[in-house]
Amino acid sequence: MFNIFNKKLAPQPLIFATDIHCHVIPGIDDGSPDINVSAGLIERMQSWGIKRIIATPHVTMSTFENNPQTVRPALESLIVELERRDNNIEISNAAEYRLDELFLDHMEKGILMPYPNNYILVENSFIQEPWNVEQVLFDLKVKGYKPILAHPERYSYYHNRFERYDAIYRSGTMFQVNLLSLAGYYGKAEKKTAEMLVEKNMVNFLGTDLHNHRHADAIEGYLASKDYRRHSLALQSRICNDVYFN
C-alpha cells in the first residue's frame, strides 16, 4: 500500500540564480574533464533555477597554475558548445585562488581574475591556516579588492576556534558557504559549522562548488530535503549572489 508518510518532498528551486563558485570549465582543474560533461552539468544547474554562472577554476601552486591565458580558451570552447546546443545561459569566469606564493605572484603581476566590481574568491589550505592570512587579506583590500573566503566551514582547524571566523569576518572578508556542506556531503562537522555560520548571520554567498555529477546528485537530493527548506528560510533575504556582481 502507498504510504503517504514516506512520500518524498519535491525538489525546490535555489534561492539564488547566480552561481559564483563552480568548476564547470572543461579540462583545466579537478572539475569537469571535457565539454560534454560541462554542458551536462550546466543543464542540471539550470533545472535548479541557475540563470547565470561565474565559474571559478582553481589557481593553486604546483597543481592548477591557471591564469587568464589558460582559462579563456577553455571557457570560449564551452561557450561555443553551449551555443551549438541552443543554450543561452550567461557564463563567465573568475577564479578560486589558494592563498599561496602563486597567488602573491599573480597579485604582484596584476593578472588576477576577480568577479565584477573587484570581488575576489580566495581559499585557505585544508591542512593548516596560512600564517599570513590576515596580512594577505588586508593587502587585497588596500589594492581595491573585496575578498570572499570560499567555504570557511570546510577548514577543520577553525571548527573549535570560532573566534577565528569572527576575526576574519569582522575584518571585512565575506564568507561563501557551499550547498554541499549544508547538505552534509562533506561530513557532520562541516554541516554543523555551516549551520552555525548561518545562525550567526555570517553567510554572504552560497555556491554549488560543483565539480561532477556526484556533486549534482547530492545537491538535487538536498533540494528535496527538509534541511533545505529550513536553511533557505534562514538565508533567502541575506544571500547576495544576485546583487553584487552586476
Side-chain angles (χ1 to χ4, degrees):
M1 178 181 289
F2 179 73
N3 187 339
I4 61 171
F5 298 105
N6 292 330
K7 184 178 180 180
K8 291 184 177 179
L9 297 172
Q12 298 295 300
L14 289 171
I15 58 173
F16 56 90
T18 303
D19 189 13
I20 69 161
H21 185 175
C22 62
H23 300 269
V24 296
I25 299 178
I28 60 172
D29 63 6
D30 60 344
S32 171
D34 58 55
I35 286 178
N36 286 330
V37 171
S38 295
L41 290 172
I42 288 168
E43 289 167 0
R44 293 183 76 172
M45 295 168 78
Q46 289 173 291
S47 74
W48 310 333
I50 294 294
K51 295 180 171 60
R52 182 186 183 207
I53 294 171
I54 307 177
T56 50
H58 289 290
V59 181
T60 310
M61 179 176 286
S62 301
T63 52
F64 306 113
E65 296 194 351
N66 284 307
N67 57 54
Q69 286 68 44
T70 63
V71 173
R72 189 65 203 175
L75 175 61
E76 289 176 350
S77 69
L78 176 57
I79 290 171
V80 169
E81 174 63 17
L82 292 171
E83 290 175 346
R84 188 188 70 80
R85 297 179 180 224
D86 294 322
N87 189 332
N88 61 355
I89 191 167
E90 182 182 346
I91 183 167
S92 59
N93 79 278
E96 181 184 10
Y97 287 100
R98 179 70 55 85
L99 293 179
D100 57 21
E101 292 181 15
L102 182 64
F103 174 70
L104 297 177
D105 179 65
H106 284 201
M107 182 165 60
E108 183 66 27
K109 290 178 178 176
I111 59 170
L112 296 178
M113 295 178 284
Y115 297 111
N117 299 319
N118 265 11
Y119 292 92
I120 190 162
L121 187 68
V122 298
E123 68 167 350
N124 286 359
S125 164
F126 288 100
I127 299 171
Q128 62 183 14
E129 181 181 42
W131 66 270
N132 59 343
V133 59
E134 286 167 313
Q135 183 64 52
V136 174
L137 293 172
F138 176 79
D139 290 345
L140 277 171
K141 295 164 196 168
V142 169
K143 289 179 178 290
Y145 292 103
K146 304 163 188 174
I148 301 168
L149 184 61
H151 43 60
E153 73 282 0
R154 296 190 65 194
Y155 308 130
S156 59
Y157 44 81
Y158 287 158
H159 288 175
N160 295 318
R161 299 173 61 211
F162 201 85
E163 70 276 7
R164 293 298 298 133
Y165 288 124
D166 193 61
I168 293 169
Y169 192 79
R170 288 181 181 276
S171 73
T173 296
M174 292 171 284
F175 286 174
Q176 175 263 305
V177 161
N178 284 358
L179 290 178
L180 289 164
S181 298
L182 290 167
Y185 181 86
Y186 307 113
K188 293 181 180 179
E190 288 78 6
K191 179 176 181 177
K192 179 181 178 181
T193 304
E195 291 181 327
M196 187 176 300
L197 291 170
V198 172
E199 181 183 339
K200 299 291 186 181
N201 198 19
M202 295 169 69
V203 180
N204 305 99
F205 305 95
L206 293 174
T208 65
D209 202 0
L210 188 68
H211 284 66
N212 50 56
H213 283 292
R214 294 189 307 279
H215 286 174
D217 292 343
I219 289 171
E220 287 175 359
Y222 172 58
L223 295 179
S225 71
K226 292 180 179 178
D227 275 347
Y228 176 67
R229 284 158 172 75
R230 178 167 53 87
H231 297 152
S232 62
L233 285 173
L235 286 165
Q236 61 187 355
S237 62
R238 307 180 193 173
I239 296 305
C240 301
N241 291 51
D242 302 325
V243 178
Y244 283 8
F245 308 117
N246 296 320

